[in-house]
Amino acid sequence: MKVPPSLLHLYAVTDRQWLHGRTLESQVRQVLEGGATIIQIREKCLGDQEFLQEARQIQATCREFGAPLIINDNVEVALAIGAGLHVGQSDTACREARRRLGEQAILGVSCATVQQALEAQEAGADYLGVGAVFPTSTKLDADWVKRETLREICQAVSIPVVAIGGISRENAATLAGTGIAGVAVVSALFAAPDPKAAAAAFSQIHY
């Protein structure tokens, strides 16, 4: 399996709105020190050159910790540095992304239904991001996914599933038993006063 479930246990998704004078690379380093197992850079406002420069810096940090780096919805940046890619239902089509990236790159796809999950798997996805499993302030238009639907998706596919959306230290453990490999976390890590401690707390949870 290209993406062992253990690599998806704590999937940290960046958001620069909480930098507060810190660099994104320093925050990524903190969450990796705390136990994050994979990093996704999500940048909706940076130009390609700025994004590329940032991605190269963070990729070097990820390599120190043996953590894969995933680029959100920018196949050009992913190709330029040899990183993985994550696409949404409305982003670059999974099949086209796989064609451009080749078979070796990690490719993740967002989905909210069993049908979407099966289609993504057939099109070449290596893992799925399923959500939003809880209300989330970082993606107000996210589809709502019930616990039962999350469990059905996990049962329907043979690739690992990560839950995303509104996940906090307080509610993460309630996802145990659904079949997920791990959780994707944004604000509960990057908005935390101590991202390393926040990551360490998440890393102790079993699903």
Side-chain angles (χ1 to χ4, degrees):
M1 183 177 289
K2 190 183 299 181
V3 187
S6 59
L7 274 182
L8 298 170
H9 184 257
L10 181 51
Y11 190 133
V13 182
T14 68
D15 191 324
R16 63 174 46 253
Q17 70 172 302
W18 296 297
L19 290 180
H20 302 305
R22 297 171 292 188
T23 66
L24 195 62
E25 187 278 332
S26 69
Q27 282 194 317
V28 167
R29 180 175 293 277
Q30 284 185 286
V31 300
L32 287 168
E33 288 174 346
T37 51
I38 185 168
I39 300 291
Q40 180 188 132
I41 306 177
R42 185 162 65 188
E43 292 286 9
K44 299 297 186 182
C45 298
L46 286 186
D48 279 357
Q49 286 307 309
E50 291 175 293
F51 195 169
L52 183 58
Q53 183 178 9
E54 174 185 86
R56 284 188 171 127
Q57 293 173 340
I58 291 175
Q59 185 180 50
T61 303
C62 287
R63 283 174 173 162
E64 287 182 41
F65 291 85
L69 176 65
I70 307 296
I71 303 298
N72 180 273
D73 190 33
N74 192 316
V75 68
E76 301 301 336
V77 170
L79 281 169
I81 67 170
L85 182 72
H86 187 95
V87 297
Q89 289 293 314
S90 59
D91 296 337
T92 306
C94 179
R95 201 177 299 279
E96 174 64 12
R98 173 57 73 203
R99 184 189 69 79
R100 295 197 62 194
L101 290 168
E103 292 301 316
Q104 298 306 309
I106 296 173
L107 177 61
V109 178
S110 297
C111 61
T113 68
V114 171
Q115 184 63 32
Q116 289 176 353
L118 290 170
E119 289 173 357
Q121 177 176 258
E122 195 275 331
D126 297 304
Y127 73 88
L128 303 174
V130 177
V133 294
F134 301 109
T136 172
S137 62
T138 59
K139 201 166 188 182
L140 298 177
D141 62 345
D143 293 320
W144 178 260
V145 177
K146 295 179 179 178
R147 177 188 172 88
E148 182 62 21
T149 302
L150 176 62
R151 189 175 66 82
E152 289 172 355
I153 290 171
C154 291
Q155 291 176 341
V157 298
S158 59
I159 54 178
V161 171
V162 176
I164 189 169
I167 296 172
S168 67
R169 179 66 181 85
E170 291 70 34
N171 64 27
T174 67
L175 298 170
T178 57
I180 60 171
V183 293
V185 185
V186 190
S187 61
L189 291 177
F190 290 96
D194 186 341
K196 179 179 177 179
F202 271 104
S203 69
Q204 299 305 310
I205 303 173
H206 298 286
Y207 305 105

